[in-house]
Amino acid sequence: MGGNSPCASCKLLRRRCAKDCIFAPYFPSDDPHKFAIVHKVFGASNVSKMLQELPVDQRADAVSSLVYEANARMRDPVYGCVGAISYLQNQVSQLQMQLAVAQAEILCIQMQQVGAPAAAIQTPVQMDIMADDKSFYQLPNNLPQYLNFASSSNVIIHDSLKRESLFGHHDMVSS
Amino acid sequence: MTSTRCAACKYLRRRCASDCIFSPHFPSNNPQKFASVHRIYGASNIGKMLQQLPVHLRAKAADSLYYEAQRRIQDPVYGCVGIISRLHQEINTAKSELAKAQAEIAFFNAHAQAQGQPQFNLEAAAPSFNTFLPEQGSSAGHSSFGPSTWFY
């Protein structure tokens, strides 16, 4: 900061805010809480190192995500962001299950429309477990089961041919 | 008698006291765990965070800190927030797909009713699917970490 006012970081650290202060663009003096919380969880030195290792155009996003994680850790000192990830992963699993049921229902309706149950399956259904890179979500094994979402994956029913909509033969405009 | 220092004390090159706060959670056979958390949080902050927690919760906290540190090392810009963002996208996509599928089913049922035909009953057609049906009113949409709170 070129002006007289030190940034929030230098205020908290009680030091002179240099013109090229790495914190100044991201921790303005009018929001002292933002730096305080990041400093409490990560430490000013670590934040500085992390920012220095990033291109300038990515630092703002990095600061935002660090602030988010720091807030999450303050709210939940045991699980931090991991608690949020677990919660959201459960939501994804529930929704995908509901979706699988709905898609199965549609297939049954299609079969019913065709007339014969088994022989009418023209589009074989494959339940594919779309395995994301599971290491992306893996947690240590000794975490409680509900946090071990390494086994949950995207379950999507694929038709080998593009699924025909139930609307396919109905002209929705003129019906 | 050789004393085994925990991974933290080995890393910090200090004596490992019998009441070392790190030693239950950073065993010497996993040096990477402490190295990761130290790189992101610093030993002092880790020690403070663990000290503020009841003893029975420290292991979970240490593991979650390790997980977050690993994610931050892998993705220095977004860390865990990248995962949260991706999960939100998955939720939105799944909700959208579900709404479309439910609309199709509703259309069929309305059409069947208009034609005087029986509506489709999944439970009758495929009873085994009933076990997957969620309870009515289960909330799948509300998250305290919704997009509005991503970046404060």
Side-chain angles (χ1 to χ4, degrees):
Chain A
M1 287 188 68
N4 296 328
S5 171
C7 70
S9 324
C10 294
K11 261 190 188 168
L12 186 77
L13 300 171
R14 294 181 189 172
R15 64 184 197 190
R16 190 179 69 86
C17 192
K19 232 166 48 166
D20 60 349
C21 172
I22 196 164
F23 298 117
Y26 316 108
F27 298 101
S29 57
D30 58 358
D31 191 357
H33 173 75
K34 186 177 170 188
F35 182 75
I37 201 163
V38 167
H39 178 50
K40 183 159 183 177
V41 175
F42 295 99
S45 167
N46 290 329
V47 175
S48 173
K49 276 188 226 160
M50 284 191 249
L51 291 180
Q52 270 167 357
E53 287 168 6
L54 290 172
V56 176
D57 60 327
Q58 291 179 347
R59 290 178 185 175
D61 279 356
V63 166
S64 296
S65 69
L66 287 168
V67 171
Y68 181 90
E69 284 191 32
N71 274 307
R73 183 59 61 175
M74 296 306 292
R75 259 192 303 252
D76 183 350
V78 181
Y79 294 113
C81 269
V82 174
I85 290 171
S86 171
Y87 176 82
L88 292 172
Q89 185 64 34
N90 282 340
Q91 281 196 37
V92 169
S93 298
Q94 277 187 28
L95 282 167
Q96 287 175 340
M97 213 148 42
Q98 291 177 42
L99 181 58
V101 169
Q103 287 175 334
E105 205 169 319
I106 289 169
L107 281 166
C108 289
I109 291 170
Q110 285 180 323
M111 284 162 56
Q112 210 177 48
Q113 286 180 333
V114 169
I121 299 176
Q122 297 170 4
T123 59
V125 171
Q126 294 168 350
M127 285 279 270
D128 283 339
I129 309 288
M130 278 177 61
D132 283 342
D133 178 11
K134 289 182 181 174
S135 63
F136 192 60
Y137 289 154
Q138 268 180 0
L139 288 175
N141 290 334
N142 55 354
L143 276 175
Q145 184 59 36
Y146 71 89
L147 278 182
N148 185 9
F149 47 76
S151 59
S152 62
S153 52
N154 292 324
V155 176
I156 298 174
I157 299 176
H158 289 283
D159 290 343
S160 58
L161 302 176
K162 198 170 154 82
R163 180 170 64 85
E164 287 182 20
S165 166
L166 289 174
F167 303 130
H169 300 294
H170 302 277
D171 183 345
M172 292 187 71
V173 175
S174 61
S175 65
Chain B
M1 188 160 119
T2 52
S3 62
T4 312
R5 290 183 293 174
C6 71
C9 293
K10 263 191 191 170
Y11 189 101
L12 299 169
R13 294 181 190 173
R14 65 184 199 189
R15 189 179 71 85
C16 190
S18 55
D19 60 348
C20 171
I21 194 162
F22 297 114
S23 65
H25 317 295
F26 299 100
S28 57
N29 61 358
N30 188 0
Q32 194 208 8
K33 187 177 179 185
F34 183 77
S36 301
V37 299
H38 178 58
R39 181 173 161 181
I40 301 301
Y41 298 99
S44 170
N45 288 332
I46 296 287
K48 279 185 219 161
M49 284 193 256
L50 291 179
Q51 253 163 4
Q52 286 166 4
L53 291 171
V55 174
H56 67 286
L57 292 175
R58 289 177 187 173
K60 290 172 185 148
D63 288 340
S64 73
L65 285 164
Y66 176 42
Y67 180 83
E68 286 190 35
Q70 288 282 84
R71 299 289 82 80
R72 180 60 62 174
I73 289 167
Q74 283 180 2
D75 183 353
V77 181
Y78 296 108
C80 272
V81 176
I83 299 177
I84 290 172
S85 170
R86 225 169 292 202
L87 286 169
H88 276 293
Q89 283 173 13
E90 277 192 51
I91 287 170
N92 288 338
T93 301
K95 278 185 181 172
S96 170
E97 292 290 312
L98 183 61
K100 273 190 232 167
Q102 288 172 337
E104 283 195 42
I105 294 166
F107 177 83
F108 168 77
N109 285 332
H111 184 73
Q113 198 172 30
Q115 300 269 331
Q117 294 166 1
Q119 295 184 30
F120 181 76
N121 183 334
L122 178 65
E123 197 173 330
S128 61
F129 275 101
N130 198 28
T131 58
F132 291 116
L133 293 174
E135 290 176 13
Q136 290 302 316
S138 66
S139 156
H142 178 68
S143 164
S144 60
F145 290 88
S148 63
T149 60
W150 283 1
F151 298 115
Y152 61 98

